[in-house]
Amino acid sequence: MGFREHAACVRRIVGIVLAVLLIGGVAVAVVAGRDSKDTSTATKTVRGVIGSEKAEFFADPDVVKALAAKGFTVKAETSGSWAMDQLPLKDYDFAFPGSKAPADELQRKSSVKGGPIRPFYSPLVVVAHRGAAQVLADNGLATLSAKSSGKLLMGPYLKAAKADRTWQRLKGAGKQAELTGTVFITTTDPVSSNSGALYLAAASYVADGGRVAADEAAIDRTAPLLKKLIQVQGAQQTSSDAPFRDFISGVGNPLVLVYESQVASLLLQKQDLGDLVVLYPDTTVSSDHTLVPLTDSGRQFGELLSTDRRLRELAVRHGFRPQGAAAEFTAATAGHTDYIDRQLTGIRQAPVPTATVLRAMARRTRG
């Protein structure tokens, strides 16, 4: 076999192997530094598993360069935040889910001293096209405070969901041809994905009169409504990236739950968002991206993400809000106040149930 034939054979084999890896459910998302032209020498390689919403951050050549300057190369794989504890983490240096509850569960398996590290966070928001947002506002399910932002009123929305309200029954919806069928918010799968699970946390808190679910009885009280919120959606994604990109491209459901960071990142890249409106749920749960060190190197890396000024600047560029550094996010988004509520004015943060309760809640939505 000649050299060219051999090379072609190798490429075919590599293609098959990569396809199998992707089908397997945990995909290698980024090896930080692989595409960078930076010639500095990183002295330490750390391996971690991350929520997919952070893949673009770690793939950013500027992030790669900033990490290399501090002596780190990062090899990151993506997974649903609530599926990370099912992975064999023996050879990992850190796990980086999208919220505190799965991080607490992972922390119990770590022998590294010290607790989890929370470098940055992002509120959950609902994106809507302007026509849909206006219909919600005209029917008391939302308020609009700026050209491209407002609040989703969770109490009235959940009441409408419980009653199986359709768009056709809402005043003004007839003028929007795409507004048909049951009014619902597209979310990710709450069994495996962080944003979907946090949606249940906020919805159960509102539906149960401002109480945090703590036992089976509390789960029973809201289970029928939560099941309805999830099952009306049909098949769900395990990452918020796909439904958000569908929305941006003009397909999919009129209402989609995403991270504020996904919207802010596009704005900071000066991308045109068309008629997108950001609705902040008036009762929500912020996604505290929480790094669990599994080795001493993982802890050093996590602390670097939290304290290094350049890495915080880059986190903001990707739409995240650094913990304890609100001024950095406020300054970066100063030109985008039509979309971004920088102060989260009048938004109530719902406490999150324990991982055990939230897992049970998610399973109940499956019937």
Side-chain angles (χ1 to χ4, degrees), residues 172-227:
K175 300 176 182 179
Q176 311 288 333
E178 72 277 11
L179 299 182
T180 61
T182 305
V183 178
F184 68 90
I185 296 170
T186 292
T187 72
T188 54
D189 182 355
V191 174
S192 61
S193 173
N194 181 63
S195 57
L198 294 184
Y199 176 65
L200 294 187
S204 67
Y205 181 78
V206 174
D208 205 20
R211 289 179 290 184
V212 184
D215 52 29
E216 194 68 26
I219 295 173
D220 289 341
R221 286 195 294 271
T222 60
L225 174 59
L226 299 188
K227 182 177 179 180

Short mmCIF file of all heavy atoms in Angstrom, two decimals, residues 172-227:
data_model
loop_
_atom_site.label_atom_id
_atom_site.label_comp_id
_atom_site.label_asym_id
_atom_site.label_seq_id
_atom_site.Cartn_x
_atom_site.Cartn_y
_atom_site.Cartn_z
N GLY A 172 -54.41 38.93 20.62
CA GLY A 172 -53.38 39.43 19.72
C GLY A 172 -52.55 38.37 19.04
O GLY A 172 -51.78 38.68 18.12
N ALA A 173 -52.68 37.10 19.47
CA ALA A 173 -51.85 36.04 18.89
C ALA A 173 -52.22 35.75 17.45
O ALA A 173 -51.39 35.25 16.67
CB ALA A 173 -51.95 34.77 19.73
N GLY A 174 -53.46 36.06 17.07
CA GLY A 174 -53.90 35.77 15.71
C GLY A 174 -53.11 36.53 14.65
O GLY A 174 -53.08 36.11 13.49
N LYS A 175 -52.46 37.61 15.03
CA LYS A 175 -51.67 38.38 14.08
C LYS A 175 -50.30 37.77 13.82
O LYS A 175 -49.58 38.21 12.93
CB LYS A 175 -51.49 39.81 14.61
CG LYS A 175 -52.80 40.57 14.82
CD LYS A 175 -52.53 41.94 15.43
CE LYS A 175 -53.84 42.68 15.71
NZ LYS A 175 -53.58 44.01 16.34
N GLN A 176 -49.94 36.76 14.64
CA GLN A 176 -48.64 36.11 14.51
C GLN A 176 -48.86 34.67 14.06
O GLN A 176 -49.24 33.82 14.86
CB GLN A 176 -47.89 36.13 15.86
CG GLN A 176 -47.85 37.49 16.54
CD GLN A 176 -46.92 38.46 15.85
OE1 GLN A 176 -45.97 38.04 15.20
NE2 GLN A 176 -47.20 39.74 15.97
N ALA A 177 -48.60 34.40 12.80
CA ALA A 177 -48.91 33.09 12.23
C ALA A 177 -48.18 31.95 12.93
O ALA A 177 -48.67 30.81 12.98
CB ALA A 177 -48.57 33.08 10.74
N GLU A 178 -47.00 32.25 13.47
CA GLU A 178 -46.20 31.18 14.10
C GLU A 178 -46.66 30.84 15.51
O GLU A 178 -46.21 29.85 16.10
CB GLU A 178 -44.72 31.59 14.13
CG GLU A 178 -44.36 32.68 15.12
CD GLU A 178 -44.63 34.10 14.62
OE1 GLU A 178 -45.28 34.22 13.56
OE2 GLU A 178 -44.20 35.06 15.26
N LEU A 179 -47.58 31.63 16.08
CA LEU A 179 -48.03 31.40 17.45
C LEU A 179 -49.26 30.51 17.45
O LEU A 179 -50.39 30.99 17.40
CB LEU A 179 -48.31 32.73 18.15
CG LEU A 179 -47.11 33.68 18.27
CD1 LEU A 179 -47.51 34.94 19.02
CD2 LEU A 179 -45.93 33.00 18.96
N THR A 180 -49.03 29.21 17.49
CA THR A 180 -50.12 28.24 17.52
C THR A 180 -49.79 27.16 18.53
O THR A 180 -48.63 26.97 18.92
CB THR A 180 -50.32 27.58 16.14
OG1 THR A 180 -49.11 26.89 15.77
CG2 THR A 180 -50.68 28.61 15.08
N GLY A 181 -50.82 26.46 18.99
CA GLY A 181 -50.61 25.36 19.92
C GLY A 181 -50.45 25.83 21.35
O GLY A 181 -50.66 27.01 21.68
N THR A 182 -50.06 24.92 22.22
CA THR A 182 -49.92 25.21 23.65
C THR A 182 -48.77 26.16 23.92
O THR A 182 -47.71 26.07 23.29
CB THR A 182 -49.68 23.89 24.43
OG1 THR A 182 -50.73 22.98 24.12
CG2 THR A 182 -49.65 24.14 25.92
N VAL A 183 -48.99 27.07 24.83
CA VAL A 183 -47.93 27.99 25.26
C VAL A 183 -46.99 27.23 26.20
O VAL A 183 -47.41 26.75 27.26
CB VAL A 183 -48.52 29.22 25.98
CG1 VAL A 183 -47.39 30.13 26.46
CG2 VAL A 183 -49.48 29.97 25.08
N PHE A 184 -45.74 27.11 25.81
CA PHE A 184 -44.77 26.45 26.69
C PHE A 184 -43.37 26.96 26.40
O PHE A 184 -43.10 27.55 25.34
CB PHE A 184 -44.81 24.93 26.56
CG PHE A 184 -44.32 24.39 25.23
CD1 PHE A 184 -42.98 24.07 25.03
CD2 PHE A 184 -45.20 24.20 24.18
CE1 PHE A 184 -42.52 23.58 23.82
CE2 PHE A 184 -44.76 23.70 22.95
CZ PHE A 184 -43.41 23.39 22.78
N ILE A 185 -42.47 26.73 27.35
CA ILE A 185 -41.07 27.13 27.22
C ILE A 185 -40.24 25.89 26.91
O ILE A 185 -40.35 24.88 27.61
CB ILE A 185 -40.57 27.79 28.52
CG1 ILE A 185 -41.33 29.09 28.79
CG2 ILE A 185 -39.07 28.05 28.46
CD1 ILE A 185 -41.06 29.67 30.17
N THR A 186 -39.44 25.97 25.87
CA THR A 186 -38.53 24.88 25.55
C THR A 186 -37.35 24.91 26.51
O THR A 186 -36.70 25.95 26.68
CB THR A 186 -38.01 25.01 24.11
OG1 THR A 186 -39.08 24.77 23.20
CG2 THR A 186 -36.90 23.99 23.82
N THR A 187 -37.07 23.78 27.14
CA THR A 187 -35.93 23.67 28.05
C THR A 187 -35.11 22.44 27.66
O THR A 187 -35.50 21.65 26.80
CB THR A 187 -36.38 23.49 29.51
OG1 THR A 187 -36.92 22.17 29.70
CG2 THR A 187 -37.43 24.52 29.89
N THR A 188 -33.98 22.29 28.32
CA THR A 188 -33.21 21.06 28.16
C THR A 188 -33.78 19.97 29.08
O THR A 188 -34.64 20.22 29.92
CB THR A 188 -31.73 21.30 28.52
OG1 THR A 188 -31.66 21.88 29.83
CG2 THR A 188 -31.09 22.25 27.52
N ASP A 189 -33.28 18.77 28.90
CA ASP A 189 -33.73 17.61 29.68
C ASP A 189 -33.32 17.77 31.15
O ASP A 189 -32.13 17.80 31.46
CB ASP A 189 -33.11 16.35 29.09
CG ASP A 189 -33.56 15.07 29.80
OD1 ASP A 189 -34.28 15.16 30.81
OD2 ASP A 189 -33.16 13.99 29.33
N PRO A 190 -34.27 17.88 32.08
CA PRO A 190 -33.90 18.13 33.48
C PRO A 190 -33.23 16.94 34.15
O PRO A 190 -32.61 17.09 35.21
CB PRO A 190 -35.25 18.44 34.15
CG PRO A 190 -36.26 17.73 33.30
CD PRO A 190 -35.73 17.83 31.90
N VAL A 191 -33.33 15.76 33.55
CA VAL A 191 -32.70 14.58 34.16
C VAL A 191 -31.18 14.66 34.03
O VAL A 191 -30.45 14.23 34.93
CB VAL A 191 -33.23 13.28 33.50
CG1 VAL A 191 -32.47 12.06 34.01
CG2 VAL A 191 -34.72 13.13 33.79
N SER A 192 -30.70 15.25 32.94
CA SER A 192 -29.26 15.27 32.72
C SER A 192 -28.66 16.65 32.59
O SER A 192 -27.45 16.82 32.72
CB SER A 192 -28.92 14.47 31.45
OG SER A 192 -29.55 15.06 30.31
N SER A 193 -29.49 17.66 32.33
CA SER A 193 -28.97 18.99 32.00
C SER A 193 -29.26 20.01 33.08
O SER A 193 -30.35 20.02 33.68
CB SER A 193 -29.57 19.46 30.67
OG SER A 193 -29.22 20.78 30.41
N ASN A 194 -28.31 20.90 33.28
CA ASN A 194 -28.39 21.88 34.36
C ASN A 194 -29.55 22.86 34.20
O ASN A 194 -30.33 23.08 35.13
CB ASN A 194 -27.08 22.64 34.44
CG ASN A 194 -27.06 23.66 35.55
OD1 ASN A 194 -27.15 23.31 36.71
ND2 ASN A 194 -26.92 24.92 35.21
N SER A 195 -29.67 23.49 33.03
CA SER A 195 -30.69 24.54 32.88
C SER A 195 -32.09 23.96 33.03
O SER A 195 -32.97 24.60 33.63
CB SER A 195 -30.54 25.26 31.53
OG SER A 195 -30.62 24.36 30.45
N GLY A 196 -32.32 22.75 32.50
CA GLY A 196 -33.62 22.12 32.66
C GLY A 196 -33.95 21.83 34.11
O GLY A 196 -35.09 22.03 34.56
N ALA A 197 -32.96 21.35 34.87
CA ALA A 197 -33.18 21.06 36.28
C ALA A 197 -33.46 22.33 37.08
O ALA A 197 -34.34 22.37 37.95
CB ALA A 197 -31.96 20.33 36.86
N LEU A 198 -32.73 23.41 36.77
CA LEU A 198 -32.95 24.67 37.49
C LEU A 198 -34.31 25.28 37.16
O LEU A 198 -34.91 25.97 38.00
CB LEU A 198 -31.83 25.66 37.16
CG LEU A 198 -30.43 25.27 37.65
CD1 LEU A 198 -29.43 26.38 37.34
CD2 LEU A 198 -30.41 24.94 39.14
N TYR A 199 -34.78 25.05 35.96
CA TYR A 199 -36.14 25.49 35.60
C TYR A 199 -37.17 24.83 36.51
O TYR A 199 -38.11 25.49 36.99
CB TYR A 199 -36.39 25.12 34.13
CG TYR A 199 -37.78 25.40 33.62
CD1 TYR A 199 -38.28 26.69 33.51
CD2 TYR A 199 -38.59 24.35 33.18
CE1 TYR A 199 -39.54 26.94 32.99
CE2 TYR A 199 -39.85 24.59 32.66
CZ TYR A 199 -40.33 25.89 32.57
OH TYR A 199 -41.58 26.13 32.05
N LEU A 200 -37.00 23.54 36.77
CA LEU A 200 -37.91 22.85 37.69
C LEU A 200 -37.80 23.43 39.09
O LEU A 200 -38.81 23.56 39.79
CB LEU A 200 -37.59 21.35 37.73
CG LEU A 200 -37.82 20.54 36.46
CD1 LEU A 200 -37.62 19.05 36.75
CD2 LEU A 200 -39.22 20.77 35.88
N ALA A 201 -36.58 23.76 39.52
CA ALA A 201 -36.39 24.33 40.85
C ALA A 201 -37.17 25.63 41.01
O ALA A 201 -37.87 25.84 42.01
CB ALA A 201 -34.90 24.56 41.12
N ALA A 202 -37.07 26.51 40.01
CA ALA A 202 -37.78 27.79 40.08
C ALA A 202 -39.29 27.59 40.00
O ALA A 202 -40.06 28.20 40.75
CB ALA A 202 -37.31 28.71 38.96
N ALA A 203 -39.73 26.72 39.08
CA ALA A 203 -41.17 26.50 38.90
C ALA A 203 -41.79 25.87 40.14
O ALA A 203 -42.89 26.27 40.56
CB ALA A 203 -41.41 25.60 37.69
N SER A 204 -41.11 24.90 40.75
CA SER A 204 -41.67 24.26 41.94
C SER A 204 -41.74 25.24 43.10
O SER A 204 -42.69 25.22 43.90
CB SER A 204 -40.83 23.04 42.33
OG SER A 204 -39.54 23.42 42.78
N TYR A 205 -40.75 26.11 43.21
CA TYR A 205 -40.72 27.11 44.28
C TYR A 205 -41.92 28.05 44.16
O TYR A 205 -42.61 28.34 45.15
CB TYR A 205 -39.42 27.89 44.20
CG TYR A 205 -39.24 28.95 45.26
CD1 TYR A 205 -38.86 28.61 46.56
CD2 TYR A 205 -39.43 30.30 44.97
CE1 TYR A 205 -38.69 29.58 47.53
CE2 TYR A 205 -39.26 31.28 45.93
CZ TYR A 205 -38.89 30.91 47.21
OH TYR A 205 -38.73 31.88 48.17
N VAL A 206 -42.19 28.53 42.95
CA VAL A 206 -43.33 29.44 42.74
C VAL A 206 -44.64 28.70 42.93
O VAL A 206 -45.56 29.19 43.61
CB VAL A 206 -43.26 30.07 41.33
CG1 VAL A 206 -44.52 30.89 41.05
CG2 VAL A 206 -42.02 30.94 41.20
N ALA A 207 -44.74 27.51 42.35
CA ALA A 207 -46.01 26.76 42.40
C ALA A 207 -46.37 26.33 43.80
O ALA A 207 -47.56 26.16 44.12
CB ALA A 207 -45.90 25.53 41.49
N ASP A 208 -45.37 26.17 44.67
CA ASP A 208 -45.64 25.72 46.04
C ASP A 208 -45.62 26.89 47.03
O ASP A 208 -45.33 26.71 48.21
CB ASP A 208 -44.61 24.66 46.45
CG ASP A 208 -45.15 23.73 47.54
OD1 ASP A 208 -46.39 23.65 47.71
OD2 ASP A 208 -44.33 23.10 48.23
N GLY A 209 -45.94 28.07 46.54
CA GLY A 209 -46.10 29.21 47.43
C GLY A 209 -44.82 29.72 48.05
O GLY A 209 -44.82 30.22 49.19
N GLY A 210 -43.70 29.63 47.33
CA GLY A 210 -42.44 30.14 47.85
C GLY A 210 -41.76 29.21 48.83
O GLY A 210 -40.99 29.65 49.68
N ARG A 211 -42.04 27.92 48.69
CA ARG A 211 -41.38 26.93 49.56
C ARG A 211 -40.40 26.08 48.74
O ARG A 211 -40.71 25.69 47.61
CB ARG A 211 -42.41 26.02 50.24
CG ARG A 211 -43.23 26.74 51.31
CD ARG A 211 -44.26 25.81 51.93
NE ARG A 211 -45.34 25.49 50.99
CZ ARG A 211 -46.40 24.75 51.31
NH1 ARG A 211 -46.50 24.22 52.53
NH2 ARG A 211 -47.36 24.53 50.42
N VAL A 212 -39.26 25.79 49.34
CA VAL A 212 -38.27 24.95 48.68
C VAL A 212 -38.62 23.49 48.94
O VAL A 212 -38.83 23.09 50.08
CB VAL A 212 -36.85 25.23 49.23
CG1 VAL A 212 -35.81 24.40 48.47
CG2 VAL A 212 -36.53 26.70 49.14
N ALA A 213 -38.71 22.71 47.89
CA ALA A 213 -39.04 21.29 48.04
C ALA A 213 -37.96 20.60 48.86
O ALA A 213 -36.77 20.71 48.55
CB ALA A 213 -39.15 20.63 46.67
N ALA A 214 -38.39 19.90 49.90
CA ALA A 214 -37.41 19.26 50.79
C ALA A 214 -37.70 17.79 51.03
O ALA A 214 -36.88 17.09 51.64
CB ALA A 214 -37.38 20.00 52.14
N ASP A 215 -38.86 17.29 50.57
CA ASP A 215 -39.19 15.89 50.84
C ASP A 215 -40.17 15.39 49.77
O ASP A 215 -40.57 16.12 48.86
CB ASP A 215 -39.79 15.73 52.24
CG ASP A 215 -40.95 16.68 52.51
OD1 ASP A 215 -41.66 17.06 51.54
OD2 ASP A 215 -41.16 17.06 53.68
N GLU A 216 -40.57 14.14 49.93
CA GLU A 216 -41.45 13.51 48.94
C GLU A 216 -42.80 14.20 48.87
O GLU A 216 -43.40 14.33 47.80
CB GLU A 216 -41.63 12.04 49.28
CG GLU A 216 -42.24 11.20 48.17
CD GLU A 216 -41.31 11.04 46.97
OE1 GLU A 216 -40.09 11.13 47.16
OE2 GLU A 216 -41.83 10.83 45.85
N ALA A 217 -43.29 14.66 50.01
CA ALA A 217 -44.58 15.33 50.03
C ALA A 217 -44.54 16.62 49.20
O ALA A 217 -45.49 16.95 48.48
CB ALA A 217 -44.99 15.65 51.47
N ALA A 218 -43.45 17.35 49.30
CA ALA A 218 -43.30 18.58 48.52
C ALA A 218 -43.22 18.27 47.03
O ALA A 218 -43.79 19.00 46.20
CB ALA A 218 -42.05 19.34 48.97
N ILE A 219 -42.54 17.20 46.69
CA ILE A 219 -42.45 16.80 45.29
C ILE A 219 -43.84 16.43 44.76
O ILE A 219 -44.22 16.81 43.66
CB ILE A 219 -41.48 15.61 45.13
CG1 ILE A 219 -40.06 16.03 45.50
CG2 ILE A 219 -41.52 15.07 43.70
CD1 ILE A 219 -39.06 14.89 45.54
N ASP A 220 -44.61 15.74 45.60
CA ASP A 220 -45.97 15.33 45.21
C ASP A 220 -46.84 16.54 44.88
O ASP A 220 -47.67 16.49 43.97
CB ASP A 220 -46.64 14.52 46.33
CG ASP A 220 -46.03 13.14 46.48
OD1 ASP A 220 -45.37 12.67 45.54
OD2 ASP A 220 -46.24 12.52 47.56
N ARG A 221 -46.68 17.63 45.64
CA ARG A 221 -47.56 18.79 45.47
C ARG A 221 -47.39 19.44 44.09
O ARG A 221 -48.34 19.98 43.54
CB ARG A 221 -47.29 19.83 46.57
CG ARG A 221 -47.81 19.42 47.94
CD ARG A 221 -47.84 20.61 48.89
NE ARG A 221 -46.51 21.11 49.22
CZ ARG A 221 -45.77 20.67 50.22
NH1 ARG A 221 -46.22 19.69 51.01
NH2 ARG A 221 -44.59 21.19 50.48
N THR A 222 -46.19 19.43 43.55
CA THR A 222 -45.95 20.12 42.27
C THR A 222 -45.71 19.16 41.11
O THR A 222 -45.59 19.62 39.97
CB THR A 222 -44.75 21.07 42.40
OG1 THR A 222 -43.58 20.32 42.74
CG2 THR A 222 -45.01 22.14 43.45
N ALA A 223 -45.64 17.88 41.38
CA ALA A 223 -45.30 16.91 40.32
C ALA A 223 -46.23 16.98 39.10
O ALA A 223 -45.75 16.96 37.96
CB ALA A 223 -45.28 15.49 40.89
N PRO A 224 -47.55 17.08 39.28
CA PRO A 224 -48.42 17.14 38.08
C PRO A 224 -48.11 18.33 37.18
O PRO A 224 -48.08 18.19 35.95
CB PRO A 224 -49.83 17.23 38.68
CG PRO A 224 -49.70 16.60 40.04
CD PRO A 224 -48.35 17.00 40.52
N LEU A 225 -47.88 19.50 37.77
CA LEU A 225 -47.57 20.68 36.97
C LEU A 225 -46.22 20.54 36.30
O LEU A 225 -46.06 20.82 35.11
CB LEU A 225 -47.59 21.93 37.84
CG LEU A 225 -47.14 23.23 37.16
CD1 LEU A 225 -48.01 23.54 35.95
CD2 LEU A 225 -47.13 24.39 38.15
N LEU A 226 -45.20 20.10 37.05
CA LEU A 226 -43.86 19.97 36.47
C LEU A 226 -43.85 18.95 35.35
O LEU A 226 -43.17 19.14 34.33
CB LEU A 226 -42.86 19.59 37.56
CG LEU A 226 -42.69 20.57 38.72
CD1 LEU A 226 -41.54 20.15 39.61
CD2 LEU A 226 -42.48 22.00 38.22
N LYS A 227 -44.60 17.87 35.52
CA LYS A 227 -44.70 16.86 34.46
C LYS A 227 -45.30 17.49 33.20
O LYS A 227 -44.83 17.24 32.07
CB LYS A 227 -45.56 15.69 34.95
CG LYS A 227 -45.70 14.56 33.94
CD LYS A 227 -46.50 13.42 34.54
CE LYS A 227 -46.68 12.27 33.55
NZ LYS A 227 -47.46 11.15 34.14
#
